[in-house]
Amino acid sequence: MLSSRTLFPTTITTRSIEARSTMRCGFSRALGGQLLNAVVLSRHRSSFPVWRVVASLPQEHQRAPSLMDSHKWIRSRDKGGAWHSSVQCRAISSDAGKQAEAAIDEALMIGERKVQRRVIKLPDPELHDGEAKRVKKKRKVNKSYMRYRKKPKPLRTFPSGLPDEDFLVKVRELKVFKKLYYDMNVPKTLWDNQELGLWVAEQKQRYTMRWMTVEERDLLDKLGFVWHKTVDNAEWHLMLHELRRFKAVFNNLNVPERWRSDDWPAAFPRWFHQQPALFEQRRLSPDKVMKLRTLVGLDLKAVTGDNVSDEQYADQYERQMQLYGTKPRTDFEIMYSQLREWMETYYTCHVPRRVHDNVVLGEWVHRTRRKYKRKIIEQWVVERLNELDFEWKVHQLDARWYSLFHHLRRYKEVHGSCEIPDDYSNVREPNWVEASRWVERQHKLYFKQKLSPHKVKLLKDLGVNLDKPYGPLGINPMIQETDPVMYKKLREKHEEMLRKRRKVEKRAAKRRKLEKAKEMERKELLNWYLPFGDPRFR
C-alpha cells in the first residue's frame, strides 16, 4: 500500500500529429489509488491545436483517472505572438499538492536557472479546427556524417582461393562475347545480356579493392580482360551496341539526325552521324572501322565515297598519331586546323553547333566553350585558341544571326540563288522560311548602317543583293559607299517622310476611334428606343 506522501517523478509526453514535448511532473498518490496532484512546470509548444496526453507511468499507475480527466489546458501568447500551452490537473489534497510542488521545484528549478528556449511562431489556433493543416519540419541531415563516413578500404594484397562455379560460368560467357565482338569491352548496360555487363563492372570494382583472388585475376588476364578504359572508348562501344539494337528493331541503319527516343541515349543520333566525318579525317581507329563494317554492316568507305584500302587507312591513322602524339592532342590539332580554315573563310570563329557541312567542328566548338565555362579546360588549349581570337562567350542574337546565315548558304547550295520568295513555305525546312524574313531585316539594317563590316562582307560574298531599293523614295543603300553626302541628304528626307506618315497615321487612328465610339452609342440608343417605335431610328 502506498502512502499519500510518496512522490513519483515521471515523464508526461504530449503527442500530436507533428509536435512532441516532454514535461517532468511530480505525482502524489493516495491509498485509494486516486491521483491527488500533478503540476506541470514546463510549457508545451505545438503547431497543432489538438493535443493528447499520455503518461509513461509504471504499469500499475497507467490508468490514473485524475490525470486524464481532471486536467485543464491554459493557452497564452507571448510578446512575439507565439502560442504557449501548459496543463494543470486539479488537486484533491492541498497538503500533498504543496509537497509535490516543493519537490518538483527542488528537482527541476535549482538555482533559479532560466533555460533558453527556441520560440516557434505558430499559426493562430483559433483559425484552425480539428483537421487543420499539418506543418512539416524538414529533417536535418548530418553532413559531417556524410563527409566522414567510413568507406570500405582496399586490401593490401590479393587473397588466394579457387574460383567458384558461378565465376567460371560468367568467364565462359565472356569468351563467347569476345568471339562475337572481337574485344572485351562489355558495356554495363548491354541490352541483350545485362547480367554480363553488371558482372564485368563488379569484377573491376573487386580488382580495384583487391577483393578478388589471385586465381580469378590470372584467369581474366589470360582472356585479355580490360581493367581500365577511357571514357571515350567506353562511350563508343556503348553506342556501337545501341546501333546493333537499332538495326535489330528497325531492320535498317537510317537513324534520323534529330531523332529522340526514351529507349536510346540522347547522344546516339549525333554519334551515328559523326562516324563518316571522323573516318574522312582519319580520326577513327582501324579496328573501330572494321567493327562497324562487320558487326552492323555500316561501310564507311561506301558512305563517304573514299576508296582507300585498309592498309592505307591504317598508315594514315598511324602517321597522324606519330605527328601529334597522343589521341587527344591529335584530335585538337585536327580541329584547330579546321577552325583556322573556317575563320579564313567566314572571318569569325563562331561555328553553329549543327552547321550542315561540318557537324563535328560545330560540336567540338560547343564542347570547348562548355569546358571553359566549367573551368575544366587545359591552359595550353586556351592559349592556342586565343591566337585565333576565339569567342569564348557568344551573344544569343549573334548566335541566331550566324545560324540563319548558314541556313541561307545551304539554301543557295540547293537552289543556286539567295533570293527566297516572299510567299515561300516548306514544312520540312522551317529555317529557310525564317531565313527569307531574316534577309529582309538585313536590308533594313544595312540601310540604317547597323550592320558590322564583317557581316556586310559575309552577305556580299554569299551573293545577297544589298542594293535593293528601300523606302518610299526607293533609295539604293549602296550609295552610302559611293556618295556619303548624297546618302545623308536622302536619309534625312526619308526620315522626314516617315515622320509625316506617322502623324497622318496617328490622326487617322484617332478619327477611327471616335467613329467607332459614336457607332456604338448609336447602336445602344437604337436598342433602347426600338421597342417604343421612335420614328428617328426606323
Side-chain angles (χ1 to χ4, degrees), residues 447 467-479 490 494 497:
F447 176 77
D467 58 353
K468 184 178 179 181
Y470 179 79
L473 296 178
I475 303 174
N476 188 353
M478 299 298 292
I479 198 175
L490 293 174
H494 173 76
M497 291 184 65

Side-chain angles (χ1 to χ4, degrees), residues 457-481:
K457 193 174 182 180
L458 281 174
L459 292 172
K460 289 182 179 180
D461 294 345
L462 186 60
V464 179
N465 187 15
L466 294 176
D467 58 353
K468 184 178 179 181
Y470 179 79
L473 296 178
I475 303 174
N476 188 353
M478 299 298 292
I479 198 175
Q480 59 183 315
E481 299 179 2

Side-chain angles (χ1 to χ4, degrees), residues 3-21:
S3 65
S4 62
R5 298 296 182 179
T6 307
L7 187 67
F8 293 94
T10 181
T11 301
I12 291 182
T13 305
T14 61
R15 297 178 182 177
S16 66
I17 300 299
E18 295 294 337
R20 294 183 181 181
S21 64

Side-chain angles (χ1 to χ4, degrees), residues 391-482:
E391 300 171 354
W392 296 105
K393 295 182 180 180
V394 180
H395 196 272
Q396 186 176 3
L397 295 177
D398 290 337
R400 186 59 180 165
W401 194 94
Y402 287 108
S403 177
L404 290 172
F405 170 78
H406 291 288
H407 284 304
L408 181 63
R409 185 166 62 88
R410 184 164 62 91
Y411 178 86
K412 183 180 179 181
E413 293 177 1
V414 175
H415 299 279
S417 175
C418 293
E419 299 295 332
I420 305 178
D422 297 337
D423 56 347
Y424 180 81
S425 62
N426 191 344
V427 180
R428 295 185 178 181
E429 295 292 346
N431 293 313
W432 287 353
V433 180
E434 177 64 24
S436 64
R437 296 190 290 266
W438 174 79
V439 171
E440 296 298 329
R441 290 197 299 271
Q442 303 315 305
H443 285 109
K444 185 176 181 179
L445 292 174
Y446 179 69
F447 176 77
K448 294 182 177 181
Q449 296 180 337
K450 293 184 178 180
L451 273 180
S452 58
H454 82 276
K455 289 183 179 180
V456 174
K457 193 174 182 180
L458 281 174
L459 292 172
K460 289 182 179 180
D461 294 345
L462 186 60
V464 179
N465 187 15
L466 294 176
D467 58 353
K468 184 178 179 181
Y470 179 79
L473 296 178
I475 303 174
N476 188 353
M478 299 298 292
I479 198 175
Q480 59 183 315
E481 299 179 2
T482 57

Side-chain angles (χ1 to χ4, degrees), residues 53-303:
V53 180
V54 178
S56 57
L57 297 172
Q59 189 174 2
E60 61 271 14
H61 310 304
Q62 283 284 340
R63 294 296 179 183
S66 299
L67 175 63
M68 305 303 296
D69 303 330
S70 304
H71 66 275
K72 177 183 177 182
W73 281 103
I74 302 174
R75 294 191 182 94
S76 61
R77 282 200 182 193
D78 59 1
K79 294 181 180 180
W83 279 89
H84 299 278
S85 300
S86 60
V87 63
Q88 184 175 5
C89 297
R90 289 199 301 267
I92 298 177
S93 173
S94 59
D95 296 338
K98 291 180 181 179
Q99 187 176 1
E101 291 181 7
I104 295 171
D105 290 339
E106 184 179 357
L108 299 179
M109 307 292 290
I110 298 175
E112 298 293 333
R113 291 182 298 178
K114 295 182 179 180
V115 181
Q116 295 183 357
R117 298 182 179 274
R118 183 169 61 91
V119 179
I120 304 174
K121 291 186 178 182
L122 303 173
D124 193 341
E126 296 178 0
L127 303 178
H128 292 265
D129 54 358
E131 296 180 358
K133 294 182 179 180
R134 305 171 183 177
V135 180
K136 294 185 179 181
K137 298 180 181 179
K138 294 183 179 180
R139 181 182 179 184
K140 294 183 179 180
V141 180
N142 191 355
K143 295 184 179 180
S144 61
Y145 167 75
M146 299 295 291
R147 183 181 302 175
Y148 301 107
R149 67 181 186 275
K150 293 183 179 180
K151 297 181 180 179
K153 296 181 179 180
L155 302 177
R156 293 184 179 181
T157 58
F158 289 96
S160 60
L162 296 176
D164 55 359
E165 186 63 28
D166 296 337
F167 187 87
L168 296 177
V169 170
K170 292 297 181 183
V171 168
R172 286 193 291 269
E173 292 184 12
L174 197 59
K175 290 180 180 179
V176 175
F177 182 88
K178 183 178 181 181
K179 185 177 181 180
L180 291 175
Y181 305 113
Y182 311 107
D183 59 16
M184 306 283 282
N185 294 306
V186 185
K188 188 175 181 180
T189 57
L190 185 64
W191 64 276
D192 53 351
N193 195 349
Q194 192 171 3
E195 293 183 359
L196 180 61
L198 295 174
W199 181 82
V200 169
E202 182 183 357
Q203 302 314 308
K204 292 178 181 179
Q205 184 181 8
R206 293 180 62 203
Y207 178 82
T208 304
M209 304 301 292
R210 298 188 184 91
W211 296 343
M212 179 182 293
T213 63
V214 179
E215 290 76 10
E216 293 175 347
R217 182 195 62 185
D218 295 341
L219 183 59
L220 292 177
D221 284 336
K222 291 180 182 179
L223 295 177
F225 192 83
V226 181
W227 298 108
H228 305 286
K229 56 183 177 181
T230 61
V231 177
D232 296 337
N233 196 25
E235 182 182 3
W236 194 93
H237 284 89
L238 172 62
M239 295 301 173
L240 173 66
H241 291 283
E242 292 297 327
L243 180 60
R244 192 166 56 83
R245 179 162 69 99
F246 183 91
K247 184 178 180 180
V249 173
F250 299 101
N251 199 20
N252 59 51
L253 295 176
N254 300 325
V255 182
E257 186 175 357
R258 298 183 181 180
W259 181 58
R260 292 291 182 271
S261 176
D262 296 337
D263 299 331
W264 271 267
F268 173 67
R270 175 177 55 81
W271 172 87
F272 177 79
H273 290 280
Q274 281 184 354
Q275 302 311 305
L278 295 175
F279 177 80
E280 291 179 343
Q281 298 168 7
R282 305 299 187 260
R283 296 172 57 196
L284 201 62
S285 60
D287 61 324
K288 292 182 180 179
V289 175
M290 182 268 297
K291 290 176 184 178
L292 287 173
R293 183 173 63 251
T294 57
L295 296 181
V296 295
L298 180 61
D299 191 2
L300 296 178
K301 296 180 184 179
V303 174

